[in-house]
Every structure is written in C-alpha cells, then in structure tokens.
Amino acid sequence: MAAPVACVGAGLIGRGWAIVFARAGHEVRLWDENPGAPAAARDFAAKMLPELESQGLIDCTAEDALGRIHPVATLEEALDGAEHVQESTFEEIGVKRAIFARLDAIAGPETVLASSSSALLPSAISEGLEGHHRVMVNHPINPAYLIPAAELVPAPWTDPALMERTANMLRSAGMRPIVMQKEIDGFVMNRMQGALLHEAFRLVADGYASAEDVDIGLREGLALRWSFIGPFETIDLNAPEGIRQYVERYAGIYDGLSDQPAADWRGPVLDSIEAERRAALPAQALAERQAWRDRRLMALAAHKRRATDEIGD
C-alpha cells in the first residue's frame, strides 16, 4: 500500500482529495474540527466510488478504495506516520496559519504539508514556521476526483526536492500537477480564468452579447478543444506551420484587445447575469444540476482515457 495521507478538513474539497488518494492505494485518514464531517465525507465517497468504477475511472474496486478511507477523531491520529498532509480548511489566512502551526508541530519531519488554498500564498501561510521548507499549496479544481489538474505552488523557501516528490505522488495518483516555479497571486488557473471572466462580464455589461451567448461561445466552441488541448497547442494547430506562423498572422488582432480596463463584476451587470441564470436554472435546482455536471464530467473523463489508450496502442 502507498504511504498514508492525512486529509485535514473533510468538506467539499477534502472529500474529493480523499477519493483521489484512496483510489491510488493510499490509506487516507480524514479529520475535521467538525466531528461529523469525516463520516459524512466517507459516506459521500461510498456513493461516488461505485459510479467511478462503473465508468472505468478507478484501477481498483470501489470497495477496496472505500476501505482505505478512515475517519479519525484527533489530528494526532490523522498525522501519525503520514507522508503527505492535504489541508482543506476554511479559506482565511488566520485559520490557515493556526492549523499549519499545529500541523508543523505534530507531523513527522519528512511530512509534506500542502494546502488546498485557491488564493492564499504559501509564503503567507507558512511564514515563521520552523518547518516552512515543507509547506506548499496543492490547489485542485473541484471536484478533484474528476478534474486532474492541480497547482503545486512553492513559497520562496519551499524545498524543491519536496516539490518534486509531491508532484510525482500526484502523478502516480492520476493527477496532472502544474508545478509552478514561484508563487504569484491567483496562481495559474485563477489568473487565466479571471482574464476570461473579465472579458465575459465586459461583453455582457457593454451590451455586445447575452450571458447565454457568451456561455455558448465557451460551451459549444472553445471548451471543446480546450478539454483535450490547451491554448498553446490550439494555436499551434491552427496555422499550417505552427505557433510562430499563428502569432505572425494573428497577434495584431489580440494586441488591440489587451489594454481595456477590468470589468466591474459587482455592478448592475451582475444583477442582470444572475437574473438570467436563475431564470434558466432556479436556485433550488442547483444541486441536481451539479450532480448532472459531475456525471457528464465522468463520461468525458472516461472518453478521454479511452482515447489516450487508443493512441498508446
């Protein structure tokens, strides 16, 4: 069996990580300050793992994976012998610093301490800790057990060897780590998503398109390619001679689009977009639609795995 992993924080993000690590053969200890959260997270895994198995998305049985997930009562029990700690507590710097001080005091000297934070810099989380060299951010896209990309972000003092060890562990668990060279606000994925969202809000705010038309542009257009290849490979394939020719031909188009101020997401446009979304999907139907999304992502992931296997044959 792979080395034990501690999932500290058993909510939406923590339960996803538990599935990721358990299906890869790790014993997973689930701990949360809310005593009922670890059992609830295991119950969630008990529902999702059979669906993953039915889609061919795990390399073991659902029963075996679930048997590796263990709710525990104390933080000390969770960290005992763990090689990796994945923290997924509340996204507030005071909370993060407090829990990481506890983790640093309890965990063994070779244990990596990784945060699922989507915005807080690892330097802010780990500053002043005796073991700050082993702290990093490992930020997933929710749900982690269906979307393999995860951002590994070092603080200036994070040990590169531990970054490499963690990246290799994630790869062996079926994840696709983005190994950043240094920290920056927003990391990689939120900076790219933020740029797209700024433009999406601007197009609606200035009356060029409806929210639904913008969604069509992504849902039925760009995203179909981006689900298999990234933006650089996309443009590399969109010119006969590759990316340089694409830039020579089309860079001027984008030069004229890059100097506009950021859209005001919090202004009247938000009211308009929210009203349009709620007309299309009532608030009480959100959970059902989220479950639908997860099933569709499972089907897409299964399709992509089959396509990769065909390429390898």
Side-chain angles (χ1 to χ4, degrees), residues 242-263:
I243 191 169
R244 181 175 296 276
Q245 186 180 55
Y246 183 94
V247 171
E248 290 171 350
R249 288 181 175 183
Y250 304 117
I253 297 174
Y254 298 100
D255 287 342
L257 304 178
S258 62
D259 58 353
Q260 300 182 50

Side-chain angles (χ1 to χ4, degrees), residues 9-32:
L12 193 68
I13 306 302
R15 71 188 190 186
W17 277 122
I19 293 173
V20 168
F21 293 126
R23 72 185 181 193
H26 295 272
E27 178 192 353
V28 177
R29 289 82 167 270
L30 276 169
W31 178 85
D32 196 289

Side-chain angles (χ1 to χ4, degrees), residues 22-196:
R23 72 185 181 193
H26 295 272
E27 178 192 353
V28 177
R29 289 82 167 270
L30 276 169
W31 178 85
D32 196 289
E33 286 191 340
N34 175 359
R42 191 179 189 278
D43 289 344
F44 177 82
K47 295 177 181 177
M48 297 308 300
L49 282 165
E51 293 201 45
L52 292 168
E53 184 179 9
S54 71
Q55 295 283 350
L57 295 175
I58 55 177
D59 297 323
C60 61
T61 67
E63 182 179 5
D64 284 346
L66 185 63
R68 290 190 279 266
I69 299 176
H70 307 290
V72 297
T74 68
L75 187 58
E76 288 77 8
E77 187 178 357
L79 269 59
D80 184 25
E83 181 181 271
H84 180 91
V85 177
Q86 188 65 44
E87 172 275 329
S88 306
T89 63
F90 187 66
E91 186 83 348
E92 197 278 318
I93 189 60
V95 173
K96 297 291 190 190
R97 285 175 173 165
I99 191 65
F100 269 83
R102 294 179 65 188
L103 297 176
D104 191 41
I106 298 169
E110 301 302 317
T111 304
V112 166
L113 308 179
S115 176
S116 298
S117 176
S118 60
L120 300 173
L121 296 178
S123 60
I125 294 171
S126 63
E127 186 175 11
L129 293 182
E130 182 177 350
H132 65 186
H133 67 284
R134 55 177 172 165
V135 176
M136 63 191 71
V137 162
N138 179 27
H139 169 231
I141 294 183
N142 186 50
Y145 58 90
L146 294 175
I147 302 178
E151 298 172 306
L152 274 185
V153 190
W157 42 75
T158 303
D159 184 345
L162 293 180
M163 285 281 290
E164 183 178 2
R165 189 183 91 185
T166 305
N168 288 334
M169 184 195 74
L170 290 173
R171 293 184 187 107
S172 69
M175 302 298 285
R176 297 293 181 268
I178 300 165
V179 184
M180 296 185 62
Q181 303 304 305
K182 56 184 178 180
E183 63 181 18
I184 185 173
D185 287 332
F187 313 146
V188 170
M189 290 186 286
N190 276 332
R191 292 184 76 87
M192 292 193 296
Q193 180 170 251
L196 191 151

